[in-house]
Amino acid sequence: MSSNIRINKICEFCDNNFIAQRIKTRFCSLKCASKSYKDRKRQVTNDVPEEASEGIRSYDLEVLKKQDFFTILQCSQIFGISRRTIFRMIARNDLDIVKLGRRTLISKDSISSLFIVQNPQPEESASDTIDFDLDGCYTISQAQTAYNISQSGLYFIIKKYGIKKYVSGNYSYVQKKDLDVYLKGIDHE
């Protein structure tokens, strides 16, 4: 049964006039009702005293120093990350754990090892770089035409036999002598 009541009201959120069909109607649309709900929830979370929110993260440092193992909840609260992130770190073997029944504990040493700064390793040392002559090399497309081989076949041979490729700009170079060793039985022009 639909109501024949027509009541002029003012929206509590946007202050626009609208015609309501019920006495309890407070907002002109679902959009205004949703925004008002979000504002109320935001006010509730902002009204929490700082002491209560700080109490979640404030641990007695002396007590933490004496503990050798922490629970997942303690780790997530100490570091301000979610429990799911802790579980992902465990799955990646970033953290060492101890299982006691259903309880999962994380060792203090494992947590401290996360904060060890590792020195970046140089990509290539000077002894690994080899000067090569472009006259003694093929580009990949030149090697394909010279040995009449497909691109995937050429890459397969390069990978299988560990033939070194040299990248210079947009081109990859392979030494002719390395390819001749493995491809000399194939007819080429």
Side-chain angles (χ1 to χ4, degrees):
M1 289 190 352
S2 112
S3 172
N4 290 332
I5 301 172
R6 304 280 186 246
I7 304 169
N8 285 329
K9 285 197 164 194
I10 297 175
C11 179
E12 292 180 12
F13 184 75
C14 66
D15 295 329
N16 289 335
N17 287 327
F18 71 99
I19 297 174
Q21 294 181 353
R22 291 185 177 84
I23 297 172
K24 295 182 177 182
T25 305
R26 297 169 44 201
F27 305 104
C28 62
S29 64
L30 177 65
K31 187 176 180 180
C32 284
S34 296
K35 288 182 178 182
S36 175
Y37 173 78
K38 287 180 184 179
D39 281 347
R40 283 190 310 245
K41 289 298 178 184
R42 210 172 287 130
Q43 288 297 327
V44 169
T45 57
N46 289 341
D47 290 343
V48 174
E50 287 187 28
E51 297 85 30
S53 63
E54 285 297 319
I56 294 171
R57 290 192 184 146
S58 65
Y59 287 102
D60 186 11
L61 291 177
E62 295 303 319
V63 173
L64 290 178
K65 287 180 182 178
K66 292 178 184 176
Q67 287 183 336
D68 290 331
F69 293 95
F70 300 106
T71 64
I72 293 195
L73 182 61
Q74 285 176 329
C75 287
S76 65
Q77 289 176 344
I78 290 168
F79 298 117
I81 56 178
S82 69
R83 292 176 58 232
R84 183 70 190 122
T85 302
I86 301 287
F87 283 115
R88 279 195 298 264
M89 293 170 78
I90 291 169
R92 286 191 311 246
N93 292 327
D94 290 344
L95 294 172
D96 297 328
I97 62 166
V98 175
K99 293 285 279 183
L100 295 174
R102 296 179 71 196
R103 193 169 187 191
T104 303
L105 299 175
I106 301 170
S107 69
K108 186 183 211 178
D109 297 333
S110 174
I111 293 171
S112 62
S113 69
L114 289 174
F115 297 104
I116 295 174
V117 178
Q118 297 176 353
N119 294 330
Q121 299 294 327
E123 291 180 17
E124 289 185 7
S125 62
S127 62
D128 291 343
T129 59
I130 301 173
D131 292 330
F132 63 96
D133 184 22
L134 290 180
D135 295 334
C137 294
Y138 285 127
T139 62
I140 298 298
S141 59
Q142 288 173 343
Q144 282 178 256
T145 56
Y147 293 103
N148 196 19
I149 189 171
S150 69
Q151 183 177 7
S152 60
L154 182 62
Y155 277 112
F156 175 76
I157 290 171
I158 290 171
K159 184 176 179 181
K160 181 178 179 181
Y161 296 112
I163 299 173
K164 290 192 177 188
K165 290 189 306 184
Y166 307 100
V167 178
S168 177
N170 292 333
Y171 297 103
S172 295
Y173 294 97
V174 181
Q175 288 190 347
K176 291 180 183 178
K177 64 179 181 170
D178 293 339
L179 285 178
D180 283 338
V181 171
Y182 300 106
L183 298 175
K184 77 167 103 167
I186 299 175
D187 294 334
H188 61 277
E189 302 169 16

